[in-house]
């Protein structure tokens, strides 16, 4: 079964997959930036996209799961927010335009497609724009998912993918408490990379 099919089945099997709230690192890093155009990569049910749109951003949300996009579209309509949602796989999709903000949260996949996705997203950032990538830090997740280390990224690896023409403004791992699949509290780390395109 492909990742596309697996995620489609996950969304179809339950009425809600995510909380509907924006990711906390998005709020922390984007608050204070002047609103412009934004690309929410891997938008899921639209929590981040809705928050951005409600704060003045002109948002495009992208995901490869049709069921997720259906829900995101419905949520945007209910909130009376004008958001463009596109069905695309960011590992192969090249946007036709650039954005003032490109945001990707927890796009965990194996190394090769992950690198392709981050390169594509970096290319989608307009000059002077911001790239925000957030994910579970590999060192922290090793404690809970040693079998899945290949799915998580490190800041150094991701920064190296950007190459020249970027100013790294934030590169740090922030501790966070969450719950595992059995409802137990676990301590994880969010790796946060925010970089501004200078060239």
């Amino acid at each position: 079964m492909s990742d596309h099919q697996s995620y489609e089945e996950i969304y179809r099997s339950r009425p809600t997959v995510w909380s509907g709230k924006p990711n906390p690192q998005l709020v922390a890093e984007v608050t204070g930036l002047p609103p412009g155009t934004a690309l929410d990569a891997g938008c899921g049910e639209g929590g981040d996209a809705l928050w951005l749109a409600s704060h003045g951003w002109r948002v495009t949300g992208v995901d490869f799961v049709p069921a997720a996009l259906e829900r995101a579209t419905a949520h945007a309509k209910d909130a009376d927010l004008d958001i463009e949602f596109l069905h695309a796989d960011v590992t192969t999709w090249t946007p036709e335009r650039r954005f003032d903000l490109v945001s990707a949260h927890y796009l965990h996949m194996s190394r090769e497609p992950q690198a392709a996705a981050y390169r594509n997203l970096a290319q989608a950032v307009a000059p002077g724009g911001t790239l925000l990538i957030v994910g579970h830090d590999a060192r922290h997740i090793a404690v809970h998912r040693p079998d899945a280390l290949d799915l998580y990224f490190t800041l150094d690896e991701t920064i190296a993918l950007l190459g020249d023409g970027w100013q790294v403004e934030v590169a740090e791992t922030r501790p966070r408490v969450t719950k595992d699949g059995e409802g137990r509290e676990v301590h994880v780390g969010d790796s946060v990379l925010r970089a501004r395109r200078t060239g």
Side-chain angles (χ1 to χ4, degrees):
M1 182 180 295
S2 72
D3 283 346
H4 298 68
Q5 292 173 310
S6 299
Y7 277 101
E8 183 74 9
E9 289 194 4
I10 289 171
Y11 279 99
R12 296 294 183 192
S13 69
R14 61 192 76 167
T16 301
V17 175
W18 310 111
S19 70
K21 299 177 181 178
N23 283 299
Q25 306 301 350
L26 173 76
V27 176
E29 295 304 321
V30 172
T31 298
L33 292 180
T37 56
L39 174 65
D40 179 15
C43 64
E45 293 166 322
D48 285 356
L50 267 69
W51 183 87
L52 287 165
S54 69
H55 286 77
W57 293 83
R58 300 185 302 283
V59 184
T60 298
V62 176
D63 206 291
F64 69 1
V65 184
L69 293 170
E70 289 173 15
R71 292 182 190 173
T73 300
H75 294 326
K77 182 178 180 180
D78 289 343
D80 196 25
L81 293 170
D82 184 15
I83 301 173
E84 176 186 33
F85 289 106
L86 301 177
H87 179 231
D89 184 336
V90 294
T91 65
T92 57
W93 176 65
T94 303
E96 296 179 354
R97 60 189 187 278
R98 291 184 172 183
F99 300 84
D100 300 311
L101 170 67
V102 174
S103 175
H105 292 252
Y106 309 109
L107 291 184
H108 294 304
M109 57 192 82
S110 57
R111 286 289 188 265
E112 188 173 333
Q114 185 182 78
Y118 289 163
R119 288 192 194 98
N120 289 341
L121 295 177
Q123 287 298 314
V125 180
T130 296
L131 175 67
L132 176 63
I133 296 175
V134 178
H136 300 301
D137 182 79
R139 296 166 300 173
H140 287 72
I141 212 69
V143 178
H144 311 290
R145 292 291 310 278
D147 60 320
L149 282 181
D150 189 50
L151 302 180
Y152 300 95
F153 78 101
T154 68
L155 291 167
D156 289 342
E157 290 173 349
T158 309
I159 291 170
L161 290 173
L162 298 180
D164 297 330
W166 293 87
Q167 179 180 340
V168 175
E169 298 177 325
V170 176
E172 62 186 38
T173 298
R174 298 170 182 168
R176 179 168 61 87
V177 178
T178 186
K179 292 186 178 181
D180 65 13
E182 299 179 3
R184 298 170 299 195
E185 284 194 351
V186 292
H187 294 263
V188 297
D190 281 338
S191 288
V192 180
L193 172 63
R194 191 186 79 207
R196 183 170 57 85
R197 187 172 202 133
T198 59

